[in-house]
Amino acid sequence: MTTRRFIGIVSLIVLAVAIVIRNRSHEPESHCRFIPGDPGWPDKHDWDNLNRTVDGNLIATSPISSVCHYSSLLGSNDNVSSYDQEACDALRNVWFFPQTHLVSPSSAMSYQFSNNSCNPFSGPDASCTLGYYVAYTINATSTAHLQAAVQFVKRHNIRLVIRNTGHDYLGKSTGAHALAIWTRHLKSIELIERYQDSGYQGPAIKMGAGVEGLEAYNFAHSHRLMVVGGNCPNVGLAGGFTQGGGISILSSKFGLAADQVLAWEVVTASGDLVTATATENADLFWALRGGGGGTYGIVVSMTVKAFPDTSFSAAYMTLLNDGNNTDAIYSTIGTFLKSLPSLVDAGAWVVWIAAPFGFLIMPAMVSGLHQVELDSLLKPTKDRMDQLGLQYHYSSAEYPDFLSSYNSIPSTWNVSDYNMGGQLISRDLVEDDDSNEALVGAIRHISSQTLMSGVAFNVANAVASPDEVAANPYLRKTIFSAVIGTPINYTDWSENKAAQDKITYDLLPALRSLAPQGGVYLNEADFQAPDFKSTFYGDHYERLLAIKMKYDPDNIFYAKTAVGSDRWEQRPDGRLCYTANH
């Protein structure tokens, strides 16, 4: 073999090895979304062009808590300082309230999903980085802004996040290194006096994605109507609330929020604006009615049924634990649980709390019944407390309309200040004596350690079939949704993780053991649930996945625990990459 030929062969081998190494070094880029520092990450020119396209509404993330840190390393990779002790103290005092984060395009309302980035309680010397916050946000005020966002992330292979008001216990409204679409300012709202299609004739309200609960209630009230919405006044109704099913004050009367939807306007992964109804893009219409937000498309608006306003009654009860009456309190809870079927069958929505400090009803609320009728429905519980010699406070009242009844609900502790997890409890568990006793035992195990709430309702007959909408079919056999909360520790990240783990591996299993094939309410679920596909979506998951892949074949839309999310993993550096399931 000549020397020249030998050198040629060696050169080919070296070249081949180099190509393999190069391909391997780029493998994360081909299977992952780009993050800052990658060659494919958009440069300043790209972001400036996007900003012009969206009419100057592109916002670079600067955490609101940067005022609590001497040095902040943000998207520019330059150390900046906005430290202000007075502003930091003021922020810490209100950090726990949703309103603090509501006005921000990027602040995570649920602390767990910040990955402890730029923690206002960690001290001024601690670093402030973007961490798991989004990199940029488009404050969307038009459909064109949504379409521009979709095209941009597709062109540059970066992560997209859909954020409405930010009320979110599953981490869907934030995401490391992402471009976020902020739909909160899509505030259009209009009355359709006589909506008509093959399944409904009557008044309807069309609302933009950013219309909040109280805004919708006030608008409906001005037209002597009411709509099915949530308990929290500043939750965006067309966002994850309705797309996640939507348990409402009016659910026992009319059904889930998802049951009321007549039409959606949606920007899909192709960038097209489509209408989804029972007869047009019917599969997408079905999926958005309870199949989870953030994964099928970006909702621009929804049209929902509206109902004539009516009178309401509400009742409240407080039974405090004095250290000597614990057994009697849980005996009372057992009686109360047995009375729930009669309450929800009469149209009531019942919120109750069991905790180390006692047992509360706050409130039981029902449309169309007089105060004395509601009192009668709660009489078995009051009688039981009287028999046991318990000291309690009970009150009830009547209201002329929905809005005055809703406005009478007192402010309660802030649920954003808690780690969360939930479980749906089926009606049969309270109707049978043995299972009721076991349920009380599980409630005692949980509520002797931390806060537990229940929201009782009946949506069994709101639709012709549990398969009529995409919401978890288990909701149709549910008597109440149980939610467990453990307090967030803002100064000890590992302790906070342990508190969430306690929900996942100790407290929730006490309820799940009573109904191993049960389900959860998507909007108040445990984001760590290992079996989310079955418990969050029931037997609708595979159908939902097929719809997801039809409208989003390139997986542009990702949200934690959403349909199709198991095809992705978020690595420790926040990079989103395909898994072996892809």
Side-chain angles (χ1 to χ4, degrees), residues 164 195 206-209 236-245 257-267 273-278 280-293 296-304 469-470:
N164 191 340
Y195 188 97
K206 180 180 180 180
M207 62 186 77
L237 294 191
F241 171 72
T242 298
Q243 292 174 56
D259 298 337
Q260 318 309 319
V261 182
L262 300 165
W264 303 94
E265 288 182 319
V266 187
V267 171
L273 175 66
V274 303
T275 298
T277 69
E280 183 180 2
N281 298 304
D283 50 357
L284 182 60
F285 174 68
W286 179 84
L288 289 168
R289 296 173 76 195
Y296 310 104
I298 308 172
V299 167
V300 180
S301 74
M302 71 174 182
T303 303
V304 298
V469 302

Side-chain angles (χ1 to χ4, degrees), residues 103-149:
V103 296
S104 166
S106 56
S107 190
M109 196 175 294
S110 292
Y111 168 72
Q112 306 93 313
F113 305 110
S114 71
N115 198 35
N116 211 27
S117 304
C118 204
N119 183 348
F121 300 95
S122 60
D125 291 315
S127 64
C128 174
T129 64
L130 290 187
Y132 280 14
Y133 286 111
V134 299
Y136 290 87
T137 300
I138 295 174
N139 178 16
T141 57
S142 72
T143 299
H145 294 166
L146 309 180
Q147 293 169 318

Side-chain angles (χ1 to χ4, degrees), residues 91-101 108-113 119-121 166-169 232 412-421 450-451 483-492 495-497 499-500 503 527:
L91 180 66
R92 287 173 174 174
N93 288 334
V94 297
W95 185 260
F96 320 101
F97 300 113
Q99 292 86 343
T100 301
H101 310 276
M109 196 175 294
S110 292
Y111 168 72
Q112 306 93 313
F113 305 110
N119 183 348
F121 300 95
H167 290 270
D168 171 23
Y169 302 122
C232 182
T412 60
W413 50 80
N414 173 28
V415 292
S416 296
D417 208 19
Y418 285 81
N419 302 290
M420 297 280 288
T450 192
L451 180 81
V483 178
I484 300 169
T486 56
I488 288 174
N489 187 324
Y490 290 93
T491 60
D492 190 328
E495 184 176 320
N496 195 57
K497 177 65 167 63
Q500 183 68 51
I503 292 176
F527 70 91

